[in-house]
Amino acid sequence: MRRARIVAFVLVIMLVGGCGPAGPEVYDDIHFRRADSLLQLMSLEEKAGQMTNIGLTALTQGPFWNDFDTLLLDTAKMQHLLIDQHVGSIQNKGIYPPSKEEWHRIIKSLQQFVLENSHHKIPLLIGMDGVHGATYTAGSTIFPHQIALAASWNPELARITGEVTAYEMRASSQPWNYSPTLDVSMQPLWGRMAETFGEDTYMHKVMGRAFIEGQQGESLSDTTRVAVCPKHFVGYGTPFSGKDRSPAYIPEHYLRQYYIEPFRAAIEQGAVTIMLNSGSVNGVPGHADTYLVNEVLKDELGFKGFVLSDWEDVGRLASMHNVAHDSKEAAKIAVMAGVDMSMVPYDASFARHIIELVNEGEIPMSRIDDAVRRILYVKFKLGLFEQAWNDPAGYTRFGSEEFANESYKAALEAITLLKNENELLPIENKHTKFLITGPGSDALTALNGPWSRTWAGDDPTYDDPDKKTILEAMQDIYGAGNIIHTPGTAYEGEVESRDHLLSKAANVDVIMVCLGERPATEKPSDIDELDLPANQLELVKRLHQSGKPIILVTLQGRPRIIREIEPLADAIFHAYWPGHEGGRALATLIQGKDNPSGKLPYTWPRYSGTLHTYQHKGSDKLDGEFGDGGFNPQWEFGHGLSYTNFTYNGLTLSADTIHTGETLQVRINLRNTGPYNGKEVIQVYLRDLVASITPDDRKLVAFEKVHLAAWETTTLEFLIQYDDLKFVDLNNQWVAERGEFEVLVGGNPTSLNKTSFFYTGESP
Ligand code: BGC
């Protein structure tokens, strides 16, 4: 519908640099005083137990790695670990996902056991990986992964995802979430990129804050909120080799500029726990890095919550990193480096080491008291002493239609249209005949990815029966009779024969082929090359021979190389791991009942051997004379198409010169030049033209997503803060240098509007 021009005026004040307003007041004296009083009554053994976090299945019948369908607690193990060894924290589950009622049974029994049998009746702190929903509880709402939330460029969706996740975790008596993942990842080979907000620091700050705000709310004692645990401090997301938990080499000034800032923002937002990096940075394992943990995280950033080790990573200082001779020395190194709680997770060996180390004078009691005070503070703050479990019957919105709809909205805004040649999309004709194929076409696991019911998320045993795969969602819209399905190929392996595929394609109008990665995380997500497996590429090549238009859909959390098949597809959607409602959202976008508005949160490389991020340097652009090794990705960070067109004009700045401490107002007009209503992401970048160390090509300093009806016009204003001009110099100081800066604004990274200003380097 064409509308009269509406001129709207939107004032957008973005939070920039390290100077955003602080979040809710988290640290309060009352709870620290309660922690102090309790601490005075505790023995060394009790304190060491509080610093210990074990896996739930260390307390259940059968072996630790069991695949039982019911978790039965083992009283002898509970007595030994929770009472005799005083273990104070439990996490994770076995293979199968319990219902919220079962979680209630298990956690209530554990908490009651401790309250009835222990001296000080200190409740257990139960932690879980609810990284995209309370996904370890059967029947919960599964949201898109973080990378997809980043692709929505809509922090409100991250906030709501956090809020629903917290509600459903509390419905399962879980008050502590190992989320969000704030690992800026400039290494697309790394398999956990999907769990992050992508390659940009500012994106991590904005989305991370929103996600934490949603999870923690105003008060942690609110029994619909959880304590967060941002992870993995710091530098985990850019391993040199691309392999999980492997070494990173990041100069300190880059660590500070790109990787530490999201954690600073998380602390400002009130994060009360933080998990460490399993790998090493510049040769120092994350769990042994006293400079980064004690000096930077705790002293400089003022983090007063507690620091959690990652899984088994204290022991790994000896068994993997070779900086300790044995697990006892490892415990000493980790605790002295600032680790407050160790995710052991199989037994209480860590607690025994701590007791010995203190008795031998190797660890001062003051360090133990500091760690336990931080841990008790979080337990008090969460209100666990008053209420250590939650009644699932009180959480009537759990797994509701309302929550599923929130997940659907997030998926709709995340799914990114990368290509749409000859306006193949949208396909409004409901009688269109499709061939739907590919390993992701009829699998819920392909939508949900890892950390979904199970750790790897690749086991369909735990599929929720009422959720729709892509095939089923397309059948709902276009009718089962109009859709032919054939698997085509698996993630790896044989491809169906050319003749078979062409016979399937003979009578259809359009082919939709859903490719991607088998869900995986951590070590199992390691790959040896970035190219999508050859069999999947071959499937598209064979289908192309039919001459029918092809819609390619990619389901994965990192950019796999598709250079060879990109020209064979008329339309390409990148769906990330969009969650339970992803199939429905994708089908709606194909039909044109909604308009794509996702934009890439990472640079999509064209070649495995040429990996750049959008921040790249001037020397990355060198090409031509000596080959074409320059910056030439398949698609740039920030790229994403719409069914409508957005036109920008009138970029102006409030001044052409600024002084130290001053802010600058950026104004631009935006028009939806029809024919569809739609959302646009306005991206604001800053480019420092000359600096004392090579400046980045540009950096994102603000963004906003707005909805515009067809033909509607709006004017947007953004503020560029003085701090945005800064970078970290070789002395590890944030500095702004005199000179010219460009401001680049737009929705398409290859055609940004540009203007410039001069910074005098002087006070006004
Ligand atoms: C992962 C963490 C996770 C923890 C508990 C580790 O292996 O690296 O991200 O929170 O396990 O499941």
Side-chain angles (χ1 to χ4, degrees), residues 325-366:
H325 294 89
D326 52 30
S327 55
K328 181 173 167 185
E329 190 183 6
K332 176 185 163 187
I333 292 173
V335 170
M336 293 314 290
V339 172
D340 299 309
M341 183 186 281
S342 170
M343 193 189 292
V344 187
Y346 304 105
D347 53 36
S349 51
F350 173 79
R352 289 195 297 277
H353 291 326
I354 296 298
I355 295 163
E356 283 176 26
L357 287 161
V358 173
N359 287 335
E360 290 159 10
E362 295 287 331
I363 298 180
M365 196 63 177
S366 56

Side-chain angles (χ1 to χ4, degrees), residues 405-425:
N405 201 37
E406 297 298 353
S407 172
Y408 172 73
K409 286 195 282 191
L412 263 186
E413 290 203 26
I415 294 172
T416 306
L417 181 62
L418 297 173
K419 177 176 180 182
N420 190 18
E421 223 158 70
N422 307 319
E423 301 195 345
L424 172 64
L425 299 173

